[in-house]
Amino acid sequence: MDRHLPFEALHNFRDLGGYSTPDGRRVRPGLLYRADSLGKLRQGTRDWSRLLSLGIRTVIDLRHPWEAEKRGRVPDDPSFRYHNLSIEHRPYNQPALDPDIDPGPYLAERYMEVAEDGTKEIRRALELIAAAAEASEPLVFHCASGKDRTGQLAALVLALLGVPDETIIEDYSLTELATPAMLALWTAREGHAPTWLGFGRAPAEVMRTFLAAMRARYGSIETYVTRELCLDADALAAGLRASLLEPRPTAWPSPTYRRATPADAATLVRLRDSAALWQLARGIDQWKPGEKDEAHFRARMDDGEVWLSYAGPHLTGACELWWQDRAAWGPRPEDAGYIHRLMTTPHTAPPGTGRALLAEAESRITATGRPYARLDCLSSNPRLRAYYESAGYRVVGEQPAKTNGTGSPYAVTLLEKRLA
């Protein structure tokens, strides 16, 4: 479920595998990684063993040489080759920026500078990635936080692989899940908080603006690669796709379900925040990361039920099941179960996971003798309404001023299904 691989010293180490392309293929897992500074690793630690277990043969450090000297670089090891390719030629002090600077246009403009200045290094990085991919050898590239320079290179590679913009934007914004830990680390090291409120943030608008600016200036990513990097973009893309893409799975384990316990609260927060970033990358203004904390999910376990779904050992989704919902439906007899926060793991859940979760929740409701399943969705989200209607739910009303106590009232559509 979680693209962030578990390390103690690293907070933004991710596998780029699993992302889909429009032709029905996906990026092969376990071959291409992006990360924050590997200079935080130390030999003889569990983190070091974890890194070596990935079989990485090439490390690309996108930082300035003085950064590597000041903050350290990945320790030498005969199992991989190290390359320092500083793609950023005009450094800027992010922590000290004015608090009011909007990250969206500001960072996108800095990324355009890097695309213009770092052509030699970007070209070499793409050549190394292509060579590693052709040899099926795992590779990792990183900068300091694994967000800006790393995010740019990831965007170029994913674009050449044919991954849609929405997914590239989502991949960039996943740094948001690591921001609190990296911000705490920086503050502890420096002894004060950064001045810039956007420090460590990776809002979707940054990558959306950067991709639009690249296409406005060059016409396409491929044209940029050909004209500015002096590479054969068609040949490069074809080679990357042949080496890094694979057919999507056609067979999946049968789904299983488990009732969540308080120990699952952190996982549920992570799942919801990942789903929120998926939505924001696609322009769906519904969920925001950080809106629901562990206490929320523990409370839902006390008041109702929370269920997790799995395909084999892998988490694929979750939902909440309430036995009353006064905020949306008002006082009602005990004749229904109320389904909330139906969510699936982006890119890794088998097809139909959401529908199967709905059916599982409905079976739980039926087991209590209640004849109805009810849910609501934002009135401004017709796509979600259509999804529930296709699952047998019918619109029975509107609640124009639902409130959950954390913000302004909002309008929701009420949907109901009569259970067998």
Side-chain angles (χ1 to χ4, degrees):
M1 180 273 292
D2 198 335
R3 291 191 170 276
H4 286 83
L5 276 66
F7 286 88
E8 294 176 6
L10 306 179
H11 304 292
N12 205 15
F13 194 109
R14 294 189 256 140
D15 190 343
L16 286 171
Y19 289 134
S20 296
T21 56
D23 63 1
R25 292 184 289 175
R26 69 172 187 176
V27 181
R28 292 171 59 192
L31 281 181
L32 193 58
Y33 300 96
R34 52 175 295 173
D36 47 330
S37 174
L38 301 187
K40 293 179 283 188
L41 297 178
R42 297 293 179 266
Q43 290 176 316
T45 63
R46 286 186 296 180
D47 276 359
W48 185 247
S49 298
R50 174 70 165 136
L51 179 75
L52 296 182
S53 72
L54 299 176
I56 288 170
R57 295 293 177 262
T58 303
V59 174
I60 301 175
D61 185 345
L62 301 174
R63 297 175 300 164
H64 296 277
W66 59 262
E67 288 181 276
E69 182 177 350
K70 182 178 181 180
R71 299 296 179 199
R73 48 149 288 186
V74 65
D76 285 319
D77 192 87
S79 65
F80 58 76
R81 299 169 295 279
Y82 171 81
H83 303 267
N84 186 199
L85 300 172
S86 178
I87 66 173
E88 180 186 88
H89 291 198
R90 287 180 268 182
Y92 53 107
N93 188 3
Q94 282 197 27
L97 293 174
D98 186 282
D100 296 329
I101 291 178
D102 185 345
Y106 180 81
L107 287 176
E109 185 177 342
R110 302 287 78 74
Y111 296 177
M112 289 301 294
E113 287 181 359
V114 171
E116 296 169 358
D117 297 343
T119 53
K120 177 182 176 182
E121 292 82 5
I122 294 172
R123 171 190 172 118
R124 181 58 180 150
L126 289 176
E127 289 173 337
L128 289 170
I129 290 170
E134 185 178 10
S136 292
E137 294 181 349
L139 175 148
V140 60
F141 54 93
H142 76 89
C143 55
S145 65
K147 175 175 74 77
D148 300 311
R149 291 161 285 188
T150 296
Q152 284 181 259
L153 184 56
L156 292 177
V157 174
L158 292 175
L160 290 169
L161 287 171
V163 172
D165 279 6
E166 295 82 3
T167 304
I168 296 173
I169 293 166
E170 177 193 354
D171 176 72
Y172 172 81
S173 69
L174 283 175
T175 287
E176 292 276 311
L177 301 180
T179 296
M182 294 194 296
L183 182 58
L185 182 66
W186 189 93
T187 301
R189 187 184 70 209
E190 302 297 328
H192 61 87
T195 301
W196 189 33
L197 300 180
F199 179 71
R201 299 293 309 280
E205 193 57 33
V206 176
M207 184 53 64
R208 185 177 290 113
T209 303
F210 170 64
L211 291 174
M214 287 288 284
R215 293 198 172 94
R217 181 169 300 179
Y218 301 108
S220 68
I221 298 299
E222 289 77 11
T223 300
Y224 165 76
V225 169
T226 298
R227 193 169 83 194
E228 301 298 324
L229 305 187
C230 300
L231 289 170
D232 184 334
D234 290 340
L236 176 62
L240 288 172
R241 294 179 188 191
S243 301
L244 288 176
L245 297 182
E246 66 180 11
R248 285 190 58 79
T250 56
W252 304 85
S254 297
T256 58
Y257 304 94
R258 176 174 68 82
R259 188 168 176 176
T261 69
D264 297 308
T267 296
L268 288 161
V269 170
R270 195 84 166 181
L271 175 57
R272 187 192 181 279
D273 286 351
S274 297
L277 292 170
W278 183 95
Q279 293 175 4
L280 291 171
R282 288 154 181 81
I284 303 171
D285 187 14
Q286 183 162 335
W287 290 357
K288 304 291 191 303
E291 287 178 322
K292 304 298 180 185
D293 58 11
E294 293 184 30
H296 164 85
F297 288 102
R298 288 194 291 266
R300 299 288 73 78
M301 294 173 204
D302 291 338
D303 297 340
E305 300 177 5
V306 181
W307 286 85
L308 304 172
S309 69
Y310 292 85
H314 303 293
L315 180 68
T316 57
C319 70
E320 299 174 9
L321 185 54
W322 302 7
W323 302 121
Q324 61 178 350
D325 185 2
R326 292 179 178 271
W329 294 82
R332 294 268 182 157
E334 294 183 358
D335 63 348
Y338 300 84
I339 301 170
H340 285 271
R341 257 162 294 285
L342 180 71
M343 46 194 178
T344 61
T345 55
H347 309 287
T348 58
T353 295
R355 187 66 63 83
L357 259 170
L358 269 180
E360 177 66 16
E362 291 162 7
S363 72
R364 296 294 305 170
I365 297 169
T366 300
T368 69
R370 292 171 170 85
Y372 293 103
R374 296 186 180 128
L375 48 81
D376 65 82
C377 68
L378 280 179
S379 298
S380 58
N381 192 341
R383 178 179 173 185
L384 185 58
R385 168 179 163 169
Y387 174 82
Y388 288 129
E389 288 181 315
S390 71
Y393 288 78
R394 64 185 184 92
V395 175
V396 295
E398 297 283 332
Q399 166 56 275
K402 180 180 177 180
T403 178
N404 57 13
T406 61
S408 302
Y410 51 96
V412 296
T413 300
L414 306 177
L415 297 103
E416 181 180 85
K417 181 177 183 179
R418 176 83 185 195
L419 304 178

